[in-house]
Amino acid sequence: MSSREPLTRDRIVDAAVRLIEREGVEAVSMRRLAAELGAGTMSLYNHVPNKAVLVDLAAERIMAQARPYHVDSDDWRDHFRAHARAIRELARAHPRAFVLLSTRRLSTEAGFRTIEVALRNFERAGFRGKIAVGMMRAMVSYLLGTLMREVATSPELGGIALSPYEDVDTSAFPLSAEVLDELGTYDHDHEFEFGLELMIAALERYRPD
Amino acid sequence: MSSREPLTRDRIVDAAVRLIEREGVEAVSMRRLAAELGAGTMSLYNHVPNKAVLVDLAAERIMAQARPYHVDSDDWRDHFRAHARAIRELARAHPRAFVLLSTRRLSTEAGFRTIEVALRNFERAGFRGKIAVGMMRAMVSYLLGTLMREVATSPELGGIALSPYEDVDTSAFPLSAEVLDELGTYDHDHEFEFGLELMIAALERYRPD
DNA sequence: CCCTGCGACGTACGGCGTACGTAGGAGGGT
DNA sequence: ACCCTCCTACGTACGCCGTACGTCGCAGGG
């Protein structure tokens, strides 16, 4: 872990990103980071004002890793699907970091890249200006929501594992009881696509032409 | 702060809920909670196994505060709107707690109450069984997403305050530049309703009749 | 040659969650 | 009346945490 290179903001942020991806934000501590870099704890403070902005910087770095999607189609729906799936892949590739990103505002270059692509797709679909922003926000909300739920329920992250509904008397909830098995089951692929089509259907309904 | 009543799980959870609502989850600590109850720190552990489940219990308690909505209408759309707005009100009433709730699974009585109401509304709208569960999940995702965003961007919670897009060169993002003002502005009421109508439109499109 | 400034680091303080041991009192069995 | 058991309250202590502060060594310029 030791190294002869001098401490750099870059090196510190890199180490933070690696640690976040490996063990999650809660595993990040200044002491541990320093140890991993073979440096003294307080040396980090020569390059970073405090832990909060270090985490911000790490979030930004992760966001910058997002790669644009590519799709061969003129249909705006295909672009939506591809873009949404790309974002989902990002979330699944960095599940622990995603929760982090979702809380933060994306006012960086990388964030704008994503926004720009989305706006282009909305333009393709016939939405412009203010209405496009509203649509995008609704879309973002949906994506944020599903992906948060998907990440939160993935077992490898200490999410929900088994027998969630054991000690609740479901007799008072007849409709829930009817679909109890379904409520306890998650098919994330299917659910994501289902919701995505739902959103696209909604957009279609609002389209001018 | 002192009190002659004996320590109880109930009293401890209550104190935790109050503290969460006042200062957020991050302000909760066993020592502070004990002090607020006029008790020794370690006494809490006679009633609660550890902090994590204490926070879980607090989340559950807050969730149980949710009151059913009421609406005078036979139109399923009105029920959707009323239910969604009720959830939003809960989020706005307990913004600090909402982030907490959103992460956790709601396998309690209170959670089922909400699920049951939603399922009844979907039934009213013509959706049943598996498809209703899928719809509900899409709806939940959207609500979770918007409300997370709304809560995260509310300034009174240390959210985004001012001039977010200053040091980014927007010339590379023409579409974003065009709507830059819009991107920096939030009208949560309007956005929520807009997205809600979008979702309802989507459901309408999938309806059998 | 010295001086200045900066990066690296040690120490220390006040906080945290909680394992562990103890002490005291309440209740039941004899 | 006695004792024994068990439960609750609590103090101490350990190993973490973020970070304020002071010092030391070295590189570069005068």
Side-chain angles (χ1 to χ4, degrees):
Chain A
M1 294 300 165
S2 84
S3 76
R4 289 278 58 81
E5 287 126 307
L7 228 38
T8 320
R9 173 177 278 223
D10 261 14
R11 287 189 63 221
I12 296 172
V13 173
D14 268 354
V17 168
R18 281 198 308 271
L19 190 51
I20 289 173
E21 296 188 335
R22 220 176 335 124
E23 306 189 32
V25 213
E26 67 281 359
V28 176
S29 89
M30 301 304 268
R31 289 172 211 270
R32 183 151 174 207
L33 232 37
E36 216 137 309
L37 288 164
T41 306
M42 293 313 287
S43 306
L44 303 185
Y45 286 90
N46 286 321
H47 306 273
V48 152
N50 57 52
K51 183 183 173 178
V53 338
L54 172 54
V55 171
D56 280 350
L57 290 172
E60 205 171 304
R61 184 92 108 223
I62 291 169
M63 189 64 199
Q65 291 177 9
R67 287 286 143 256
Y69 72 87
H70 178 75
V71 64
D72 264 331
S73 168
D74 281 344
D75 192 330
W76 61 275
R77 294 185 214 82
D78 291 329
H79 282 266
F80 266 107
R81 293 185 185 107
H83 197 188
R85 285 177 194 139
I87 292 173
R88 180 169 180 238
E89 285 320 308
L90 180 67
R92 289 162 61 94
H94 310 284
R96 329 194 96 105
F98 182 74
V99 183
L100 178 64
L101 291 184
S102 64
T103 315
R104 278 162 173 67
R105 152 162 262 164
L106 311 172
S107 50
T108 70
E109 181 119 351
F112 266 105
R113 239 182 359 242
T114 306
I115 291 174
E116 186 74 11
V117 171
L119 286 177
R120 188 155 51 238
N121 285 340
F122 278 108
E123 193 171 52
R124 228 189 301 257
F127 300 110
R128 244 169 270 269
K130 198 170 165 171
I131 185 98
V133 173
M135 294 266 173
M136 181 174 67
R137 282 186 173 153
M139 197 77 175
V140 166
S141 291
Y142 168 70
L143 286 175
L144 181 62
T146 6
L147 295 178
M148 284 277 294
R149 290 182 62 242
E150 175 166 350
V151 165
T153 56
S154 70
E156 70 266 20
L157 289 178
I160 287 77
L162 67 161
S163 64
Y165 306 124
E166 39 193 21
D167 50 354
V168 175
D169 175 23
T170 54
S171 69
F173 309 113
L175 293 172
S176 305
E178 222 172 89
V179 291
L180 202 63
D181 285 349
E182 189 65 21
L183 284 174
T185 315
Y186 295 96
D187 179 347
H188 292 304
D189 288 344
H190 178 265
E191 277 171 35
F192 183 82
E193 296 294 330
F194 180 83
L196 181 56
E197 294 309 317
L198 210 60
M199 291 300 290
I200 289 178
L203 296 191
E204 235 157 9
R205 205 159 201 278
Y206 273 68
R207 245 156 63 85
D209 45 306
Chain B
M1 296 300 168
S2 86
S3 76
R4 287 279 58 82
E5 287 127 306
L7 228 38
T8 319
R9 174 178 277 227
D10 260 15
R11 288 189 62 222
I12 296 172
V13 174
D14 267 354
V17 168
R18 281 199 307 274
L19 191 50
I20 289 174
E21 296 188 334
R22 221 175 337 120
E23 306 190 30
V25 213
E26 67 281 359
V28 176
S29 91
M30 301 304 269
R31 290 172 210 270
R32 183 155 173 203
L33 231 38
E36 216 138 307
L37 288 164
T41 306
M42 293 313 289
S43 308
L44 304 185
Y45 285 91
N46 286 321
H47 307 274
V48 151
N50 57 52
K51 182 183 172 178
V53 338
L54 172 54
V55 171
D56 279 349
L57 290 172
E60 203 171 304
R61 186 91 110 224
I62 292 170
M63 187 66 198
Q65 292 176 8
R67 287 288 144 254
Y69 71 88
H70 177 75
V71 65
D72 264 330
S73 169
D74 281 343
D75 192 329
W76 61 274
R77 293 186 216 84
D78 290 330
H79 282 265
F80 264 108
R81 294 186 184 107
H83 196 188
R85 287 178 193 137
I87 291 173
R88 180 170 180 238
E89 284 321 305
L90 180 67
R92 289 160 62 93
H94 310 284
R96 329 192 96 103
F98 182 74
V99 183
L100 179 63
L101 292 183
S102 63
T103 316
R104 279 162 172 66
R105 150 162 263 165
L106 310 172
S107 50
T108 71
E109 182 120 352
F112 266 105
R113 231 171 20 230
T114 305
I115 291 174
E116 185 75 12
V117 171
L119 286 177
R120 187 153 54 238
N121 285 341
F122 279 106
E123 192 171 53
R124 229 189 300 258
F127 301 111
R128 247 167 268 269
K130 198 171 163 168
I131 185 98
V133 173
M135 294 265 173
M136 182 174 67
R137 282 186 174 154
M139 198 76 174
V140 167
S141 291
Y142 168 70
L143 286 175
L144 181 63
T146 4
L147 295 178
M148 285 277 293
R149 291 182 62 241
E150 175 165 351
V151 165
T153 55
S154 69
E156 69 268 17
L157 290 177
I160 288 75
L162 67 162
S163 63
Y165 306 125
E166 38 192 20
D167 49 355
V168 175
D169 176 23
T170 54
S171 68
F173 310 114
L175 293 172
S176 305
E178 220 172 275
V179 291
L180 202 63
D181 286 351
E182 190 65 22
L183 284 174
T185 316
Y186 295 95
D187 178 346
H188 292 303
D189 288 345
H190 178 265
E191 278 171 34
F192 183 83
E193 295 296 330
F194 180 83
L196 181 57
E197 294 309 317
L198 210 59
M199 291 301 289
I200 289 178
L203 297 190
E204 237 157 9
R205 203 159 203 277
Y206 273 70
R207 245 153 65 85
D209 45 303

